[in-house]
Amino acid sequence: GQNIDQPTEMTATEGAIVQINCTYQTSGFNGLFWYQQHAGEAPTFLSYNVLDGLEEKGRFSSFLSRSKGYSYLLLKELQMKDSASYLCAVDFNKFYFGSGTKLNVKP
Amino acid sequence: GAGVSQSPSNKVTEKGKDVELRCDPISGHTALYWYRQRLGQGLEFLIYFQGNSAPDKSGLPSDRFSAERTGESVSTLTIQRTQQEDSAVYLCASSPRALSSYEQYFGPGTRLTVT
């Protein structure tokens, strides 16, 4: 792998904002993906960052800093249905996934 | 149209037996990917196809694993002489082309249990 690290688990409250970080120790990759995976289901695409900076898509935003070796996924106005695992993946034409961050949203 | 489909959805096999897992990608998608996901872990990239060719097979865990694709459509992942460590969910994904900017669409997976 490419030493992709994510926190194992996070808990946040409905309506709040949460930031899920992904750090990596590699360079020269094409871009970085974020996927959402509900328990027992297949992953679904959230975002893909090529350039440094923030990409916003509704309640979800993703940020990439190649020079600092990290990305984050920002979820706003959390809803109960956002409880899921969030996977970051580095794209080298092969794809290296982190182990995922399990997000628990509480009322 | 239909999404990515995989069969079987569940497979229980005895250690030492061979298994075949099937993936039907979205029609027209030329790229196809296989991943393995062990319980509570992230996705492990196994192999990808661009058309019927697999440019890089180095992600396959051992020589017991092989994959093929025909007609730029269906793909089969074969595991020979299964071991208990092969127990996992095997996910297939497809995308319009094997370029990084294209999102991958995942199938529901095949849950393999080796007893």
Side-chain angles (χ1 to χ4, degrees), chain A:
Chain A
Q2 300 297 323
N3 294 324
I4 301 169
D5 293 314
Q6 302 180 236
T8 304
E9 193 163 356
M10 299 179 70
T11 300
T13 305
E14 191 176 16
I17 299 173
V18 71
Q19 178 175 312
I20 302 174
N21 294 328
C22 172
T23 60
Y24 52 86
Q25 296 171 5
T26 189
S27 61
F29 57 91
N30 299 319
L32 189 143
F33 285 96
W34 282 95
Y35 280 83
Q36 179 190 60
Q37 186 176 27
H38 285 99
E41 298 182 13
T44 55
F45 172 85
L46 291 178
S47 67
Y48 180 69
N49 290 66
V50 175
L51 302 176
D52 283 6
L54 188 68
E55 300 245 354
E56 299 189 65
K57 262 192 196 180
R59 293 190 301 114
F60 291 9
S61 303
S62 57
F63 174 84
L64 175 66
S65 170
R66 289 177 181 264
S67 60
K68 295 183 180 177
Y70 85 102
S71 171
Y72 66 74
L73 182 69
L74 194 70
L75 292 78
K76 303 176 187 175
E77 301 168 17
L78 279 174
Q79 302 175 9
M80 298 299 291
K81 68 179 182 180
D82 297 331
S83 292
S85 287
Y86 292 85
L87 310 172
C88 72
V90 175
D91 170 16
F92 278 96
N93 294 327
K94 289 186 186 182
F95 301 94
Y96 296 96
F97 278 79
S99 297
T101 299
K102 183 180 179 185
L103 176 65
N104 303 301
V105 180
K106 295 190 171 181

